[in-house]
Amino acid sequence: MSFINYSSREINCKVVYYGPGLCGKTANLQYIFKRMNPEARGKMISLATETERTLFFDFLPVSLGEIRGFKTRFHLYTVPGQVFYDASRRLILRGVDGVVFCADSQLTRMDANVESLENLHVNLREQGYDPDKLPLTLQYNKRDLPNIASVSELHALLNNRNVPEFEAAAITGAGVFETLKSIIRLILVDLKKGGK
Amino acid sequence: MAQGHFILREKEYEAFHALLKRLLAESCAKVIFLIDKNGSMLASAGETDEFDSTSIASLAAGNIAATGGLANLIGEKEFSILFHEGEKDNMHISVIANRLILVVVFDKRSSVGLVRLRVRKANDEMVRILAQADAAGSEANLEGDSLEELTEADIESLFK
């Protein structure tokens, strides 16, 4: 649920990066943090374990300039990907405006991708969302590694809704901003519709 | 609550701000933040420059979400008040109308008892302003809204 403040002329939206453990959700935010103009982004917060696995969430606020006199701010969150952190994942989805589903392209992680996408659907429904309508972008991450599935295989497995999909290597930054722009565009189009 | 926007108009923003300023004085606090449960800052009062408000809003919302999850696990609806005690500064966090989070940061010039009393007294007025904001927001939606007129070109302009 976006928050529109007419007093400060601001639109705030929440984007959640979802996906299986070690698929590169935090790496996406780290790259955005590193490459964005410091004036356009805030501090990145990572609530992680000692081994740098996400424990609760990562958070990065970014500003994208003005439309129609409104400053646009996007709050980017990641969820902990490991299966047993489901309670935390559910909480982070609360109030979400759009989801980036970050899939791990490695052949050995296909089951984990499917399980995580199904888990996203269950958790969205639980928060009162229709998983078939919420703005969604798919990212096929780790394209730089060997033994990966083809894009058409990933598409057939994960992209039933035929939403925008991007190949990425979050560690090097390939595809990271394309993915972000895509979900922001979808959220704003949805916001426009939601105003009616 | 999953769909639609939370719209805060100037009038209700000013009402929240005035209330926070009064609460700040009455509770002898350092700074007060009013946040929605999704982590967006609505209004603040006091020595806000000292703090990273955006991060505080996000973490307070995460804190309330996690505590709410814990409450459910033991059969409680929610824990409506949290108190964090530091060496110098303390934080009193309370949930307003199950929608908003009020964060009061105070030091030894005040006390948890005083903050708790003043927050409880301000609660009803906050609920009233929130109801006004909801009514004004839905009216704005019915009347038409500048965001409705967003064009593809407006959206594309963000990425140039």
Side-chain angles (χ1 to χ4, degrees):
Chain A
M1 185 172 81
S2 49
F3 169 50
I4 302 165
N5 188 338
Y6 275 79
S7 180
S8 55
R9 306 290 290 175
E10 273 179 17
I11 303 171
N12 289 273
C13 299
K14 180 171 178 178
V15 181
V16 173
Y17 283 69
Y18 210 94
L22 294 174
C23 71
K25 301 173 289 295
T26 301
N28 266 271
L29 260 61
Q30 284 169 336
Y31 186 79
I32 294 164
F33 178 79
K34 201 165 67 181
R35 293 305 296 267
M36 261 189 107
N37 183 342
E39 285 161 18
R41 52 110 172 117
K43 268 191 209 158
M44 179 163 166
I45 291 172
S46 287
L47 303 179
T49 66
E50 283 179 8
T51 52
E52 297 197 1
R53 299 293 302 270
T54 303
L55 180 63
F56 195 8
F57 59 77
D58 305 300
F59 168 69
L60 177 63
V62 299
S63 303
L64 272 197
E66 290 192 4
I67 38 174
R68 300 245 161 187
F70 282 84
K71 283 175 258 175
T72 54
R73 291 177 190 271
F74 293 86
H75 291 176
L76 313 183
Y77 286 83
T78 67
V79 297
Q82 294 175 85
V83 175
F84 54 88
Y85 286 135
D86 197 39
S88 302
R89 272 195 294 279
R90 262 200 305 273
L91 296 176
I92 294 155
L93 281 176
R94 198 178 278 170
V96 68
D97 295 299
V99 171
V100 170
F101 184 82
C102 182
D104 189 326
S105 297
Q106 296 178 98
L107 288 167
T108 53
R109 298 295 286 163
M110 289 307 115
D111 287 355
N113 288 329
V114 172
E115 191 184 0
S116 179
L117 190 61
E118 283 172 0
N119 175 254
L120 169 66
H121 282 218
V122 169
N123 284 341
L124 282 175
R125 275 195 205 98
E126 212 159 282
Q127 297 289 336
Y129 290 96
D130 181 348
D132 293 323
K133 288 192 180 150
L134 187 76
L136 174 72
T137 292
L138 287 186
Q139 182 186 72
Y140 304 138
N141 197 19
K142 306 200 181 186
R143 302 308 293 171
D144 52 332
L145 295 186
N147 302 321
I148 54 174
S150 68
V151 169
S152 58
E153 283 170 321
L154 286 158
H155 177 92
L157 198 62
L158 304 170
N159 199 356
N160 298 338
R161 277 178 60 188
N162 207 19
V163 297
E165 56 190 7
F166 297 88
E167 292 184 72
I171 289 288
T172 62
V176 168
F177 278 98
E178 289 81 352
T179 308
L180 178 64
K181 282 178 189 173
S182 164
I183 193 63
I184 286 172
R185 190 174 286 124
L186 292 177
I187 289 172
L188 290 173
V189 169
D190 197 57
L191 189 77
K192 174 175 144 69
K193 279 192 268 172
K196 287 185 181 173
Chain B
M1 292 315 298
Q3 306 295 329
H5 325 307
F6 175 26
I7 296 174
L8 186 62
R9 301 264 156 190
E10 188 94 34
K11 189 179 163 202
E12 287 76 28
Y13 170 80
E14 293 300 342
F16 275 133
H17 193 236
L19 179 59
L20 293 193
K21 281 209 290 194
R22 201 172 72 222
L23 180 59
L24 184 84
E26 287 177 352
S27 62
C28 304
K30 277 177 89 170
V31 60
I32 301 181
F33 299 105
L34 185 63
I35 300 159
D36 84 349
K37 266 193 163 181
N38 302 327
S40 294
M41 182 71 66
L42 266 66
S44 59
E47 303 162 24
T48 50
D49 291 348
E50 273 186 43
F51 301 93
D52 176 354
S53 310
T54 311
S55 296
I56 286 180
S58 155
L59 287 173
N63 196 350
I64 284 294
T67 314
L70 283 174
N72 290 336
L73 289 178
I74 65 160
E76 277 292 325
K77 202 171 142 205
E78 67 177 5
F79 296 126
S80 54
I81 292 176
L82 307 180
F83 174 59
H84 302 306
E85 186 175 299
E87 280 183 15
K88 289 184 201 152
D89 291 338
N90 313 297
M91 199 177 255
H92 183 282
I93 306 177
S94 49
V95 180
I96 313 282
N98 203 27
R99 291 267 303 281
L100 305 181
I101 300 167
L102 184 70
V103 178
V104 181
V105 179
F106 63 97
D107 58 19
K108 62 183 179 188
R109 288 173 291 178
S110 184
S111 68
V112 64
L114 178 65
V115 170
R116 201 168 169 171
L117 175 74
R118 298 303 187 197
V119 165
R120 200 184 302 147
K121 285 197 167 174
N123 186 76
D124 290 350
E125 195 172 342
M126 255 179 241
V127 172
R128 190 181 53 75
I129 300 168
L130 180 62
Q132 275 176 8
D134 284 342
S138 55
E139 259 174 44
N141 272 352
L142 289 173
E143 284 166 8
D145 190 290
S146 62
L147 288 173
E148 223 180 280
E149 294 153 19
L150 267 186
T151 62
E152 292 290 328
D154 287 329
I155 295 172
E156 286 308 312
S157 72
L158 276 182
F159 302 113
K160 279 175 188 159

